[in-house]
Amino acid sequence: MHSVYYFVFAVLIAVIGISVNFKFHIDKMKDNPADQGKIQTKFFIANAIIEIIPIILVVFGFMNTRPVSSTADLLIPIAITIIATLFGVLFIFLQSKVDVTEEIKAFIRSFTFIGLMMILAFPIIAIVAMLLMLNMA
């Protein structure tokens, strides 16, 4: 297995895990807006647990990095990374628009941007790593 796929698997696990975690906690927030601080704390703790495996995969990916022979070798991994990222971003935006009352709209908006930044972290790392592999050749 080429080391580029460590990054792809890290992106898939992180995006899907954080998306599910975001859905779970935003639904809790919509049901009980008074516990926003507790819910946000639990969200961050759950994200830290979810990101353990992707972090390990990124480390393995960088440990085993080797140059790719052509740009075509990166086409499928980059496509998977972009599709997964678009799925996560779209999923988060859709979750932030459903059943949001006016009183919690501002908090949901800020929570949505926090979720977006967490989703985008691993795809950015993966794309940078893939571009580095291309420049190594």
Side-chain angles (χ1 to χ4, degrees), residues 91-119:
F91 184 81
I92 284 186
F93 271 124
L94 290 176
Q95 292 304 315
S96 68
K97 300 294 181 195
V98 179
D99 296 333
V100 177
T101 61
E102 197 62 39
E103 61 192 28
I104 62 169
K105 196 172 192 175
F107 188 76
I108 294 293
R109 187 179 311 117
S110 66
F111 191 66
T112 299
F113 285 118
I114 291 169
L116 281 175
M117 293 308 110
M118 293 195 149
I119 286 243

Side-chain angles (χ1 to χ4, degrees), residues 18-30:
I18 293 170
S19 297
V20 170
N21 186 34
F22 181 84
K23 164 101 172 98
F24 179 73
H25 285 91
I26 202 166
D27 286 344
K28 277 185 172 182
M29 227 175 274
K30 291 174 187 174

Side-chain angles (χ1 to χ4, degrees), residues 2-106:
H2 199 281
S3 62
V4 73
Y5 288 102
Y6 286 118
F7 298 106
V8 173
F9 291 137
V11 167
L12 290 174
I13 292 169
V15 167
I16 292 169
I18 293 170
S19 297
V20 170
N21 186 34
F22 181 84
K23 164 101 172 98
F24 179 73
H25 285 91
I26 202 166
D27 286 344
K28 277 185 172 182
M29 227 175 274
K30 291 174 187 174
D31 293 340
N32 193 4
D35 286 342
Q36 292 173 353
K38 280 184 181 177
I39 294 168
Q40 194 170 7
T41 301
K42 289 180 181 178
F43 172 74
F44 284 122
I45 292 170
N47 270 352
I49 293 169
I50 289 167
E51 289 179 351
I52 290 171
I53 293 175
I55 288 171
I56 292 170
L57 288 171
V58 166
V59 169
F60 283 154
F62 277 117
M63 285 173 37
N64 298 316
T65 299
R66 58 183 179 187
V68 293
S69 56
S70 71
T71 309
D73 293 341
L74 293 178
L75 233 52
I76 292 174
I78 288 178
I80 293 170
T81 301
I82 291 172
I83 290 169
T85 305
L86 290 176
F87 162 78
V89 169
L90 184 66
F91 184 81
I92 284 186
F93 271 124
L94 290 176
Q95 292 304 315
S96 68
K97 300 294 181 195
V98 179
D99 296 333
V100 177
T101 61
E102 197 62 39
E103 61 192 28
I104 62 169
K105 196 172 192 175

